[in-house]
Amino acid sequence: MAVQKVKEKLNQVKTSVKKERTLAEFNRLFWKFFGGFAAFIVLLFLFASWGLLGHMPSFEQLENPESNLATEIISSDGVVIGTFAIENRTPVKYKDLPPHLVKTLLATEDERFYEHSGIDGRGTLRAVTSLGTAGGASTLTQQLAKMLFHGEGSRNPVLRGIQKIKEWIIAVRLERQYTKNEIIAMYFNEYDFGYYAVGIRSAAKTYFNKEPKDLSLDESAILVGMFKNSSLYNPIRNPEGVKNRRDVVLGQMEKAKVITASQRAQLKALPIKLDFHLQTHKDGTATYFREYLRDFMKKWAQENKKPDGSDYDIYRDGLKIYVTIDSRMQTYAEEAVDAHLKNLQEEFDSQEKDNKNAPFRNLSDAETDKLMSRARKNSERWRHMKEDLGKSEDEITASFNRKAKMTVFSWKGERDTVMTPNDSIRYYKSFLQTGVMSMDPATGDVKAWVGGINYKHFQYDHVAQGARQVGSTFKPFVYATAIEQLGLSPCDSILDSPHTIPVGRHHVTATWTPSNSNGEYRGMVTLKKALALSINTVSAKLIDRTGPEAVVEMTHKLGVHSEIPAQPSIALGAVEITVEDMVAAYGTFANEGVYVKPQVIARIEDKNGVVLYKPARETHDVLSKDVAYAVIKLLEGVTESGSGARLRTQGGGNGYNRVTGYPYVFTNPIAGKTGTTQNQSDGWFMGMVPNLVTGVWVGNEDRAAHFKGITYGQGATAALPIWAMYMKKCYGDDELQVSREPFKRPSGLAIKVDCYERAKEVDTTDTEGGETVTPETQEQDTEEFKF
């Protein structure tokens, strides 16, 4: 018995020893495994930190993380009117973020943001123990690290684990490199909110047409909610999902005491309300101007290098282009164009209903075929089929007769339709186009630039690209030359009678006898009256006296760059000039005879605010102050009693239903000139007040498309209303300080401009023409010059 007990005791001891040995072995193995695992993790972090597991950002890259910063176009009144960008990203500083937006972000994405150093231990432990069901563990800084240096995570769990480690390391480094507030600003600036909106500023502008500082609590909750998944929670594609997500964010805001329970209830009751503006280069304000500026910037970037010799990238370098455009005046000009041309287009379309060759008039079949062929070959469809698909010309031409689905422009918005490409060419050529430019004559600063009716569908810029015949708006250049060279004044009289310039005189190859537009002759008229009524014979007589070469020289000095033939017919406006050049030339008259080159850029800065470019103003003297003022007084006569008088009247008349916005009832001094070319293909109005010169052209893309009569095609109907409505809007905005004052009268003015006073009798002999001009005292108390 005793032996048995001893044996049992020994077995128990052996078993206990064995258990102890097993436990010790287990402990030894556990600690070996734990130590090895810990060493492996440490090595993994070290390897990742050293870049052995893939690229890690250097100190310099952390200091300047690569991001495609949009170049901003900033108006003279401080409004961002557009960007040049691969990603539509415009950074904001922390101080520009409203406090409630920041608090909403932290309440939703990282409530302990100010307590950790890049990695949230509590959040990580919670995520591990709950296997992610209680929420993720990524801090705001980790998410920023992912956005800056990784993008979308890998679906491979091993690779994703390595990425997670790298994100932790980068997050810690970011926390050492930047302040908490800087990290928040970077986070807001990096996120892609969809619809080309990268960063909070672009998102606020795209979805709510606001700056971030102006976002409401509700709008802030919507945008912060999009951080979870901007594709899924997008207010355009999924408004119901966005509302649910917003309500979740509002709950987090209440929990973090950003809002009260009652505020949460009120905000939850609100519908999703957007003011959506897609931010692309084909949409928004000043689209034609922005495209003009893009071309300028491309050339500028080629000619101006960075300090290291590399090229500036206007799509990535975050430049700031401060332009002279005033966003308010630009908006007023675009609104005036839209209102008038939408109205006038109805009249044009009505007149075209019975035109079998619409929109072309007085065009033979052969001429029409040639015009259409040229349009086909200039189309993107032709280029694509020829260059990309390798089709023959016959195949391409045949395709233009096959109906196809397409989205086309209309004044009521884009519409889907089915038509042949040939029909679409005619359809688009039927639209009245315009070019409008407004400039401060003293500085040359361009304040508004409208190159057409819709950049997305009509990309030809009628301000700088399109030179069109200017008609009677050219006549002031002739009068200016005559006043300067012949010593005439606005009050001098001239005989309105038939006038012939024979073959050989002034390089004329065929006898030229111009007639007045109404076929009538008025006898003796003052120069002021002659210009007001746009009398052709008077302009012909004046250019006959001065010679066309002198007029050409004067026109070029005034700022016109077009080639102008030295022919007498230019006196009636048979010259093609851009709106930009016409505004510059008229601006010389308003600026006391000094030409100032139109300027659109005030300065260019880099992303840090360093000025890279500031253009010098280009000016030169053209006329004396007296002559310039005399021309101004001539042009005032146009709006007092001539074709521009409808700016002041209230009576209306035939066709006034298409004089949009009439009556205008301006009472301040206005210098202006209408212009209408042959067959009403072009309608012009040039209008000036002392500190603003504006030019307006209206017409179809092709001169063969035009109104059938002068009532609606003349400049006084086609173009003048745009100027009038634009100016009414400008005058309604007191901040713009557009002048209502008279033009400045030169001291000691030596030219007679007040025609109610008796003029001195002056003998002038036309030595070139061989005629003697004899002044006589008229009933108007003016000088008479018989030609």
Side-chain angles (χ1 to χ4, degrees):
M1 240 356 230
V3 174
Q4 184 67 29
K5 286 182 178 179
V6 170
K7 286 182 177 180
E8 289 177 356
K9 190 67 174 175
L10 287 172
N11 287 335
Q12 288 176 355
V13 171
K14 288 179 180 180
T15 301
S16 177
V17 170
K18 190 174 181 179
K19 285 182 177 179
E20 288 178 1
R21 284 178 178 174
T22 301
L23 182 60
E25 186 67 25
F26 175 78
N27 286 338
R28 213 168 30 251
L29 289 173
F30 172 78
W31 287 111
K32 274 186 178 181
F33 174 79
F34 181 81
F37 180 76
F40 172 75
I41 294 298
V42 171
L43 285 174
L44 201 60
F45 271 84
L46 286 173
F47 288 164
S49 179
W50 295 336
L52 298 178
L53 300 181
H55 173 73
M56 285 288 286
S58 64
F59 173 82
E60 289 78 13
Q61 288 173 318
L62 287 173
E63 182 75 26
N64 296 290
E66 289 187 10
S67 59
N68 298 320
L69 295 181
T71 288
E72 289 184 298
I73 306 167
I74 304 169
S75 68
S76 61
D77 55 321
V79 176
V80 177
I81 60 174
T83 59
F84 299 136
I86 292 175
E87 296 175 340
N88 184 23
R89 183 207 315 272
T90 303
V92 295
K93 295 180 180 179
Y94 180 83
K95 64 182 178 64
D96 297 320
L97 298 169
H100 68 262
L101 178 63
V102 174
K103 291 176 182 178
T104 301
L105 174 69
L106 299 183
T108 307
E109 297 293 330
D110 192 348
E111 59 185 353
R112 284 186 294 278
F113 175 71
Y114 284 104
E115 299 172 16
H116 61 67
S117 298
I119 300 173
D120 184 1
R122 286 169 57 186
T124 302
L125 184 62
R126 182 195 68 229
V128 171
T129 55
S130 67
L131 299 179
T133 58
S138 288
T139 64
L140 210 66
T141 318
Q142 286 175 255
Q143 294 178 47
L144 176 61
K146 180 181 176 181
M147 282 192 285
L148 287 174
F149 301 106
H150 285 311
E152 285 298 317
S154 173
R155 294 185 178 181
N156 183 306
V158 175
L159 294 178
R160 181 68 193 112
I162 293 173
Q163 285 181 342
K164 199 70 177 176
I165 290 170
K166 292 164 73 174
E167 287 170 15
W168 284 342
I169 296 169
I170 295 170
V172 172
R173 290 180 176 178
L174 286 172
E175 290 273 351
R176 292 174 181 172
Q177 190 73 27
Y178 297 98
T179 66
K180 288 287 188 179
N181 290 350
E182 288 173 332
I183 288 172
I184 289 173
M186 290 173 70
Y187 186 86
F188 272 116
N189 288 328
E190 287 297 323
Y191 192 73
D192 187 344
F193 289 85
Y195 285 102
Y196 309 105
V198 181
I200 190 65
R201 190 174 189 184
S202 295
K205 199 75 175 172
T206 297
Y207 293 106
F208 302 108
N209 197 26
K210 291 182 176 181
E211 288 294 320
K213 62 183 177 64
D214 300 319
L215 291 169
S216 65
L217 286 169
D218 170 56
E219 292 162 348
S220 295
I222 291 172
L223 292 178
V224 168
M226 293 177 71
F227 280 114
K228 186 175 181 66
N229 186 329
S230 62
S231 180
L232 176 61
Y233 297 111
N234 190 284
I236 299 297
R237 295 192 293 266
N238 182 16
E240 189 61 34
V242 167
K243 187 176 186 302
N244 294 335
R245 176 63 184 160
R246 179 203 63 181
D247 293 346
V248 171
V249 173
L250 292 174
Q252 293 297 105
M253 292 169 70
E254 182 192 357
K255 181 180 175 182
K257 294 183 171 52
V258 178
I259 57 174
T260 63
S262 62
Q263 283 180 303
R264 177 189 176 188
Q266 290 174 354
L267 293 170
K268 282 184 68 175
L270 295 175
I272 300 297
K273 188 176 180 181
L274 306 176
D275 186 4
F276 184 72
H277 288 75
L278 192 63
Q279 303 289 302
T280 72
H281 75 282
K282 292 184 179 180
D283 298 287
T285 190
T287 46
Y288 290 90
F289 169 74
R290 286 190 274 130
E291 198 58 29
Y292 170 86
L293 189 62
R294 185 198 304 272
D295 290 339
F296 173 89
M297 288 302 299
K298 286 178 180 178
K299 295 173 185 174
W300 178 88
Q302 291 175 352
E303 298 169 359
N304 297 268
K305 306 294 183 182
K306 293 181 181 179
D308 62 4
S310 61
D311 292 339
Y312 283 103
D313 189 333
I314 66 171
Y315 302 104
R316 301 175 187 271
D317 287 343
L319 303 177
K320 295 185 184 300
I321 309 171
Y322 291 87
V323 297
T324 62
I325 296 291
D326 186 292
S327 69
R328 298 158 297 185
M329 297 173 77
Q330 179 69 31
T331 298
Y332 298 153
E334 291 177 0
E335 289 174 348
V337 164
D338 289 353
H340 179 54
L341 291 190
K342 182 179 181 180
N343 180 24
L344 195 61
Q345 188 68 48
E346 290 180 358
E347 182 64 37
F348 186 89
D349 293 343
S350 175
Q351 293 187 14
E352 293 302 304
K353 288 180 180 178
D354 299 328
N355 181 6
K356 294 181 180 179
N357 197 27
F360 313 119
R361 290 185 177 275
N362 307 321
L363 215 59
S364 67
D365 291 343
E367 290 170 328
T368 302
D369 290 343
K370 184 177 179 180
L371 187 154
M372 291 293 293
S373 176
R374 184 170 61 248
R376 284 192 290 267
K377 291 181 178 180
N378 287 335
S379 69
E380 175 61 22
R381 180 186 184 89
W382 187 283
R383 186 208 63 78
H384 172 66
M385 294 187 71
K386 186 175 181 64
E387 297 180 10
D388 300 338
L389 303 181
K391 299 293 184 180
S392 68
E393 288 201 7
D394 288 342
E395 289 176 310
I396 300 173
T397 301
S399 74
F400 275 79
N401 289 315
R402 289 193 289 268
K403 289 187 176 183
K405 292 181 179 179
M406 58 184 72
T407 301
V408 297
F409 169 82
S410 83
W411 277 111
K412 295 180 180 179
E414 290 186 340
R415 64 183 181 91
D416 296 326
T417 187
V418 175
M419 66 172 71
T420 69
N422 273 332
D423 287 340
S424 74
I425 290 174
R426 287 179 178 268
Y427 175 75
Y428 275 106
K429 287 185 179 295
S430 71
F431 280 97
L432 294 164
Q433 299 293 332
T434 190
V436 181
M437 186 175 123
S438 197
M439 183 188 82
D440 182 333
T443 64
D445 289 351
V446 176
K447 295 299 182 181
W449 179 306
V450 185
I453 58 174
N454 184 286
Y455 183 77
K456 182 176 180 181
H457 293 275
F458 306 94
Q459 295 179 13
Y460 191 76
D461 182 1
H462 291 283
V463 169
Q465 284 180 299
R468 297 290 292 241
Q469 283 197 11
V470 296
S472 294
T473 54
F474 189 87
K475 290 177 180 175
F477 308 153
V478 178
Y479 281 66
T481 308
I483 291 173
E484 183 183 60
Q485 291 199 356
L486 306 179
L488 303 181
S489 82
C491 303
D492 291 330
S493 290
I494 189 170
L495 183 63
D496 173 16
S497 62
H499 185 75
T500 297
I501 297 180
V503 174
R505 182 171 169 83
H506 304 312
H507 320 293
V508 169
T509 57
T511 298
W512 185 57
T513 305
S515 60
N516 292 328
S517 59
N518 60 2
E520 298 177 359
Y521 302 96
R522 298 169 179 82
M524 297 303 299
V525 292
T526 62
L527 291 187
K528 187 173 184 179
K529 184 78 168 179
L531 186 62
L533 300 177
S534 206
I535 299 174
N536 290 338
T537 60
V538 172
S539 296
K541 289 182 178 183
L542 291 177
I543 200 169
D544 192 12
R545 288 288 313 284
T546 64
E549 291 84 1
V551 174
V552 171
E553 182 182 359
M554 171 66 74
T555 305
H556 284 153
K557 286 170 65 178
L558 286 167
V560 173
H561 297 90
S562 304
E563 289 188 14
I564 304 173
Q567 295 286 336
S569 59
I570 64 175
L572 307 189
V575 180
E576 293 186 348
I577 304 176
T578 64
V579 171
E580 182 182 18
D581 280 2
M582 288 296 287
V583 171
Y586 272 68
T588 304
F589 300 136
N591 193 38
E592 301 182 310
V594 179
Y595 167 80
V596 182
K597 183 180 180 180
Q599 185 165 287
V600 297
I601 295 178
R603 68 185 186 279
I604 300 173
E605 295 180 356
D606 67 11
K607 64 182 179 182
N608 297 316
V610 177
V611 177
L612 305 175
Y613 173 72
K614 191 171 184 179
R617 300 198 187 280
E618 297 182 30
T619 69
H620 62 256
D621 293 339
V622 180
L623 301 166
S624 69
K625 292 182 180 180
D626 286 8
V627 173
Y629 186 71
V631 176
I632 289 293
K633 298 306 287 185
L634 284 170
L635 293 169
E636 285 183 352
V638 175
T639 67
E640 292 166 358
S641 61
S643 54
R646 61 181 53 178
L647 290 172
R648 306 187 183 284
T649 60
Q650 299 183 56
N654 182 36
Y656 271 63
N657 59 316
R658 302 303 184 187
V659 183
T660 318
Y662 183 84
Y664 313 115
V665 200
F666 290 105
T667 58
N668 56 294
I670 297 170
K673 186 69 187 82
T674 59
T676 309
T677 62
Q678 190 173 14
N679 297 324
Q680 303 80 234
S681 294
D682 307 275
W684 287 81
F685 184 73
M686 304 297 302
M688 297 185 286
V689 294
N691 64 350
L692 196 64
V693 179
T694 305
V696 182
W697 165 85
V698 171
N700 292 77
E701 179 182 321
D702 288 278
R703 289 181 56 81
H706 53 79
F707 280 102
K708 62 182 179 181
I710 198 168
T711 299
Y712 301 103
Q714 63 179 314
T717 305
L720 178 146
I722 293 175
W723 187 92
M725 288 190 290
Y726 166 64
M727 290 299 291
K728 290 284 277 191
K729 291 173 183 288
C730 288
Y731 281 138
D733 190 335
D734 292 335
E735 292 183 2
L736 296 178
Q737 297 183 334
V738 176
S739 176
R740 289 185 172 89
E741 300 300 314
F743 287 87
K744 183 179 178 182
R745 186 184 183 102
S747 59
L749 178 64
I751 298 176
K752 185 175 184 300
V753 297
D754 301 313
C755 299
Y756 52 83
E757 296 177 0
R758 179 176 293 276
K760 294 180 181 179
E761 294 186 358
V762 179
D763 287 322
T764 306
T765 301
D766 177 1
T767 55
E768 185 178 358
E771 296 181 3
T772 300
V773 182
T774 305
E776 295 179 4
T777 303
Q778 300 297 300
E779 290 182 358
Q780 306 101 313
D781 290 329
T782 61
E783 291 181 6
E784 172 192 342
F785 287 82
K786 294 181 180 178
F787 288 79

